[in-house]
Each structure stands twice: as structure tokens, then as C-alpha cells.
Amino acid sequence: MKDQQPHQFERGTDGPKVIVAGLDGSGSSMRAAAYAAGLARRQRAMLALVYVQPVMSAGASLGAPVADATGEVAEGLVTEIRETAEKMKDIWDVRWEFHTFRGDPYNGLVTAANDLKADAVVVGASESAGHRFIGSVAVRLVKAGRWPVTVVP
């Protein structure tokens, strides 16, 4: 028979402390953010909303001002998130931060999750047909196997 250790009280949480949600302005990413907000509220975790600004696209190669356009998308997302958080503040409270990174979405989310020491990542399902050729961000995050990944349709 083994000696049993006396049970000691453990302070803290068993759940995630930081939940990263990827945003790109699409409907599925907004649903993912809402889902992640619910998780963060229930777990009393920090919600880190992440927008990855693309650095190169077909428009950029033709001389279109992509940096300005992606900056406007980021500003629009921040405005929309702040307005929603303000409307919901009396119903439920979620601690959140907004982060932007430059690069491709997969590497940007990996960087964000690593830098923020994420315990979970939530993304929307791909709405692009192009993911068939290079793989969706969600599938690549799952294959990375670094964090639990939830994909919201």
C-alpha cells in the first residue's frame, strides 16, 4: 500500500488562460470570434483576436495599395469588435486584446499563438476555393499539433 499525500488546495484555473481567435472579416471568422468569446467568458480567459495582414497579393503585384487596404480592414475589425463589446458589456464581460501581424494567415496565427502563449486557437472554416491547393489554415493549424484547434463553420 502506498502512502497517500494529503490533498492540497490548488489556486488557479484548469482551463485555458489565453484563447486566440483568427479574424479576416469573413462570416466564418466572425462566428469563430463569437464562439471564442463565449469560451473565454466561461473560462475567464483572455481572448486574443488576431488579424493577419497579407503582405503580397495579386493586387499588390499590379501596383494596388494593399497595405492601405489591409490596414483599413484591421481598423474596421477593431471598430466592429469595440462596438460589439460595448453593447454586450452589461450582459457579459470578456477580457480581450486585438493584435495584427503581417504575413500569410497560417504563419501569422502560429506567431500570435506562440508569442501570446495560447492555450487554444479558434478559426473559421475556409470560405476560399484556393485552400484545396495549399490547404486551409485550419487544417494546417491542426496538423501543427501545438494547440487544441476549434474550427467554426
Side-chain angles (χ1 to χ4, degrees):
M1 184 165 162
K2 296 181 182 178
D3 292 337
Q4 292 185 350
Q5 297 284 332
H7 181 71
Q8 293 181 350
F9 177 76
E10 183 178 327
R11 183 177 290 271
T13 63
D14 290 330
K17 293 183 178 152
V18 177
I19 298 172
V20 168
L23 284 173
D24 64 6
S26 67
S28 67
S29 77
M30 297 308 275
R31 289 188 295 277
Y35 183 85
L39 290 175
R41 178 186 57 82
R42 288 187 294 281
Q43 297 289 333
R44 295 190 177 121
M46 170 64 70
L47 174 62
L49 300 166
V50 176
Y51 171 64
V52 181
Q53 298 181 26
V55 290
M56 187 66 171
S57 70
S61 64
L62 298 173
V66 174
D68 293 341
T70 60
E72 289 173 15
V73 170
E75 289 297 320
L77 288 171
V78 170
T79 300
E80 188 173 342
I81 293 162
R82 283 198 178 116
E83 288 172 357
T84 302
E86 186 64 29
K87 289 177 193 173
M88 303 300 281
K89 73 176 183 180
D90 294 332
I91 298 170
W92 49 270
D93 187 31
V94 174
R95 294 179 303 129
W96 63 277
E97 301 173 347
F98 184 80
H99 300 270
T100 61
F101 291 85
R102 287 192 164 276
D104 71 276
Y106 170 76
N107 286 319
L109 286 171
V110 167
T111 299
N114 285 334
D115 290 354
L116 299 169
K117 296 179 177 46
D119 297 301
V121 178
V122 181
V123 292
S126 176
E127 294 181 355
S128 167
H131 75 268
R132 291 187 185 124
F133 300 108
I134 59 170
S136 73
V137 172
V139 169
R140 293 172 68 194
L141 287 168
V142 169
K143 286 182 179 180
R146 297 183 191 169
W147 323 266
V149 177
T150 302
V151 182
V152 177

